């Protein structure tokens, strides 16, 4: 019986908490299941979405490379306006970079944040976005969520 | 030989000459006949001048200025060695005689002619232009082909610096070079030109025309060819020795005629004589200037070779890199609000 319990815990760990990171969402967010493009994704009822991509750091590159790759893609190709860029540190002490973009879709302003963490093994790209008005309402919660990001 | 007798002989010989000239006009339908008659006429005139030297001298001293002027001009360059003939002034003969001096190039506009003939001292012609045989055969021409600071100096210096001891050659070269960086290569070529004491004649985006001292022509060409891939090379060498020396002789003879006219002008007894001689003097002075200009130009082309270089950018490998570089990571293309906010997938 005891052995069975240990195996159950291990299976739970592997299945539910298989990611190399952990992030906690507030109650206003619902975590979506069965994501294909994202490692995980969560949304508010008003459509403010937060997602995480856990990508192997291959080819292996430093934070500067991935930061520039993201910036070029979103800013130059996507046409997003870089409003702010800053270094961030999570509660667990992870250091990363955050780029905050603004973007208009059909004359409506949107917020789009990219937060990047890079380790030797993984690249973590956390996206957060939504209509500017809706985003402003949950911005503190988004920041709280990002601050909870922990690499195991 | 008495003066009267000499005059009689002169008159007879002149009559023969005039008769031959008239006959040639009549016969005119046959060019060969005309040439023969004109040659005969020339011989008669020469006999007149040679046989009646004393008479001519007397006539000259007696003061028939118009006749002297006409004779001086009509006898051409060779007459400089002959004593003045005592022929009456015949303006009709002057045209043909002046043709002997006419340069091959188009005549200069009359406005360019000096309003007064210059003094003999200032107008020592070839000597002034450094074209005496002694100066022409300079022992060390290379040191005298310094790069000019402007175009005017170019021709002056060039005619002075011509070494006539050997063949007089004009080097002209045209190159087509395929190069990678046209601007940089042009700058390198211009630097080479300066090092060779040459100068830039013309420059466009993809072409250079430079003048190089003839003595350094081959050295320049050798270094120029190292600047790029020579697609086309065309080097021409023209021997202008005969042309140069002929021009030199014609200038010297024309100067002699001009000097004689100046002497006559100084001895003019009345206004009519002075005006007549001055008219001839102005014409010969103008032609003299033209010939000297030609000589300077020729000297310049001999002293400085002309090299034209066309630069063709060498075709590079086509590199089709978009303005915004794309990394080979598909997930990068998925970033953005459109996919993030689309919860259906």
């Amino acid at each position: 019986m005891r052995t069975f319990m240990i195996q159950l815990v291990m299976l739970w760990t592997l299945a539910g908490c298989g990611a190399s990171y952990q992030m906690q969402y507030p109650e206003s967010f619902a975590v979506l299941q069965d994501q294909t493009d994202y490692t995980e994704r969560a949304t508010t009822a008003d459509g403010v979405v937060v997602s995480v991509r856990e990508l192997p750091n291959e080819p292996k590159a430093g934070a500067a490379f991935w930061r520039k790759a993201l910036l070029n893609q979103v800013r130059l190709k996507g046409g997003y306006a870089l409003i702010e860029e800053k270094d961030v540190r999570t509660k667990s002490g992870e250091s990363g970079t955050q780029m905050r973009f603004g973007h208009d879709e059909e004359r409506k302003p949107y917020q789009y944040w990219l937060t990047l963490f890079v380790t030797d093994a993984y690249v973590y790209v956390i996206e957060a976005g939504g209509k500017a008005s809706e985003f402003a309402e949950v911005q503190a919660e988004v920041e709280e969520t990002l601050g909870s990001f922990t690499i195991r | 030989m008495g003066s009267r007798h000499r005059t009689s002989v002169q008159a007879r010989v002149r009559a023969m000459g005039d008769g031959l000239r008239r006959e040639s006009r009549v016969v005119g339908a046959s060019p060969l006949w005309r040439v023969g008659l004109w040659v005969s006429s020339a011989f008669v005139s020469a006999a007149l001048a040679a046989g009646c030297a004393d008479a001519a001298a007397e006539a000259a001293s007696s003061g028939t200025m118009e006749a002297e002027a006409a004779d001086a001009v009509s006898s051409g360059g060779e007459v400089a060695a002959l004593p003045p003939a005592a022929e009456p002034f015949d303006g009709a003969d002057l045209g043909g005689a002046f043709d002997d001096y006419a340069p091959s190039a188009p005549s200069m506009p009359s406005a360019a002619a000096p309003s007064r003939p210059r003094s003999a001292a200032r107008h020592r012609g070839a000597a002034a232009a450094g074209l005496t045989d002694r100066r022409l055969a300079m022992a060390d021409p290379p040191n005298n082909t310094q790069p000019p600071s402007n175009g005017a100096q170019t021709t002056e210096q060039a005619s002075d610096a011509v070494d006539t001891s050997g063949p007089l050659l004009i080097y002209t070269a045209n190159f087509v070079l395929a190069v990678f960086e046209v601007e940089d290569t042009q700058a390198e070529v211009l630097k080479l030109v300066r090092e060779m004491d040459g100068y830039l004649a013309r420059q466009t985006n993809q072409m250079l025309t430079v003048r190089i001292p003839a003595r350094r022509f081959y050295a320049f060409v050798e270094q120029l060819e190292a600047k790029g891939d020579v697609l086309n090379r065309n080097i021409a060498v023209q021997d202008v020795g005969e042309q140069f020396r002929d021009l030199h002789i014609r200038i010297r003879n024309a100067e002699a005629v001009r000097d004689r006219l100046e002497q006559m002008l100084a001895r003019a007894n009345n206004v009519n004589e002075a005006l007549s001689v001055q008219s001839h003097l102005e014409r010969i002075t103008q032609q003299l200037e033209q010939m000297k200009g030609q000589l300077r130009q020729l000297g310049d082309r001999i002293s400085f070779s002309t090299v034209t270089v066309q630069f063709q950018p060498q075709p590079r490998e086509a590199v089709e890199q978009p303005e915004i570089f794309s990394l080979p990571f598909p997930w990068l293309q998925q970033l953005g609000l459109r996919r993030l906010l689309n919860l259906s997938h």
Side-chain angles (χ1 to χ4, degrees):
Chain A
M1 183 64 183
R2 187 175 180 180
T3 305
F4 174 74
M5 288 298 290
I6 291 172
Q7 288 174 344
L8 193 65
V9 170
M10 289 178 65
L11 278 173
W12 177 83
T13 304
L14 289 172
C17 301
S20 60
Y21 69 93
Q22 188 175 19
M23 195 161 71
Q24 296 177 345
Y25 295 92
E27 291 183 352
S28 56
F29 279 82
V31 179
L32 305 174
Q33 303 298 316
D34 302 325
Q35 296 298 301
T36 53
D37 295 335
Y38 303 94
T39 308
E40 66 179 50
R41 184 159 58 160
T43 180
T44 67
D46 294 323
V48 175
V49 180
V50 175
S51 71
V52 180
R53 293 174 189 265
E54 180 194 58
L55 305 155
N57 189 356
E58 292 176 1
K60 192 171 184 179
F65 173 86
W66 292 113
R67 172 199 158 271
K68 186 66 175 171
L70 295 182
L71 193 62
N72 287 346
Q73 176 65 35
V74 175
R75 188 183 188 189
L76 300 181
K77 288 190 174 181
Y80 288 67
L82 180 65
I83 298 170
E84 185 181 359
E85 181 176 10
K86 61 180 182 181
D87 294 331
V88 293
R89 181 178 287 272
T90 66
K91 291 175 182 174
S92 61
E94 315 294 345
S95 294
T97 301
Q98 188 173 85
M99 292 171 276
R100 297 185 175 184
F101 298 92
H103 189 66
D104 286 354
E105 287 283 344
E106 298 178 353
R107 297 185 179 182
K108 293 176 183 173
Y110 284 77
Q111 286 280 343
Y112 181 64
W113 293 6
L114 276 177
T115 306
L116 174 70
F117 297 97
V118 179
T119 67
D120 285 345
Y122 292 99
V123 175
Y124 304 95
V125 179
I126 306 172
E127 299 173 72
K131 288 180 184 173
S133 56
E134 312 297 343
F135 195 91
E137 289 182 10
V138 294
Q139 180 171 333
E141 295 174 50
V142 171
E143 288 176 344
E144 181 73 17
T145 302
L146 295 173
S148 69
F149 181 81
T150 303
I151 298 174
R152 293 174 176 169
Chain B
M1 195 159 41
S3 172
R4 183 173 299 173
H5 175 67
R6 285 193 293 267
T7 306
S8 172
V9 170
Q10 178 185 2
R12 285 201 302 273
V13 175
R14 168 189 299 285
M16 291 171 62
D18 290 343
L20 287 169
R21 287 193 182 101
R22 281 195 297 273
E23 192 170 350
S24 73
R25 292 187 190 104
V26 173
V27 175
S30 169
L32 285 175
W33 266 102
R34 292 185 67 176
V35 171
L37 287 169
W38 271 107
V39 171
S40 303
S41 173
F43 274 117
V44 170
S45 296
L48 166 66
C52 305
D54 295 340
E58 286 179 16
S61 62
S62 68
T64 52
M65 306 302 291
E66 290 180 350
E68 284 188 66
D71 183 50
V73 174
S74 64
S75 316
E78 302 303 328
V79 84
L82 300 174
E87 293 187 42
F89 177 74
D90 182 6
D93 288 343
L94 294 178
F98 265 93
D99 289 343
D100 292 341
Y101 295 99
S104 56
S107 297
M108 293 174 67
S110 59
S115 57
R116 289 171 56 96
R118 299 179 190 174
S119 69
R122 285 188 301 159
H123 249 296
R124 282 304 164 192
L131 297 172
T132 58
D133 289 339
R134 182 166 49 83
R135 289 187 61 188
L136 284 168
M138 290 191 301
D140 188 18
N143 293 332
N144 292 290
T145 53
Q146 295 302 314
S149 58
N150 56 49
Q153 287 184 350
T154 303
T155 52
E156 292 288 345
Q157 291 181 0
S159 61
D160 284 350
V162 173
D163 177 9
T164 59
S165 59
L168 299 179
L169 305 175
I170 293 176
Y171 292 90
T172 309
N174 290 285
F175 288 89
V176 179
L177 286 186
V179 296
F180 282 110
E181 301 289 347
V182 171
E183 287 187 11
D184 292 348
T185 311
Q186 278 199 1
E188 288 178 18
V189 172
L190 287 177
K191 183 183 175 191
L192 180 62
V193 169
R194 285 191 294 272
E195 289 172 357
M196 296 251 175
D197 294 333
Y199 63 95
L200 173 66
R202 186 171 177 233
Q203 181 175 21
T204 66
N205 287 342
Q206 302 211 334
M207 192 195 76
L208 276 182
T209 300
V210 297
R211 306 294 307 282
I212 301 295
R215 63 200 160 91
R216 293 182 165 172
F217 174 76
Y218 284 111
F220 176 78
V221 165
E222 186 178 350
Q223 294 192 43
L224 175 68
E225 290 182 347
K227 301 289 182 190
D229 182 11
V230 180
L231 300 180
N232 189 24
R233 176 194 297 105
N234 183 10
I235 296 176
V237 183
Q238 181 186 5
D239 188 348
V240 292
E242 188 176 350
Q243 184 183 351
F244 190 91
R245 294 184 190 97
D246 177 62
L247 202 52
H248 176 220
I249 291 170
R250 289 169 64 192
I251 288 174
R252 195 172 54 188
N253 292 343
E255 284 175 336
V257 173
R258 183 206 54 207
D259 291 347
R260 278 185 56 195
L261 289 172
E262 284 178 343
Q263 291 169 6
M264 291 176 192
L265 184 62
R267 296 201 313 269
N269 292 324
N270 54 54
V271 173
N272 284 339
E273 284 182 357
L275 287 176
S276 175
V277 175
Q278 176 132 354
S279 171
H280 296 305
L281 195 52
E282 286 179 358
R283 291 178 65 184
I284 195 114
T285 301
Q286 180 182 348
Q287 291 174 357
L288 193 54
E289 288 301 315
Q290 288 178 6
M291 286 190 287
K292 286 163 71 176
Q294 286 182 322
L295 195 66
R296 279 192 295 269
Q297 190 179 24
L298 204 57
D300 169 64
R301 292 173 61 201
I302 294 169
S303 299
F304 282 84
S305 306
T306 304
V307 180
T308 299
V309 188
Q310 289 184 346
F311 298 92
Q312 285 188 2
Q314 212 164 48
R316 301 177 178 215
E317 181 183 358
V319 178
E320 294 181 359
Q321 183 176 19
E323 192 171 343
I324 303 170
F325 184 64
S326 294
L327 289 166
F329 311 129
W331 61 267
L332 272 177
Q333 320 302 323
Q334 298 172 358
L335 292 175
L337 288 167
R338 187 176 300 274
R339 185 175 290 265
L340 176 69
L341 302 182
N342 185 356
L343 302 180
S344 62
H345 63 83

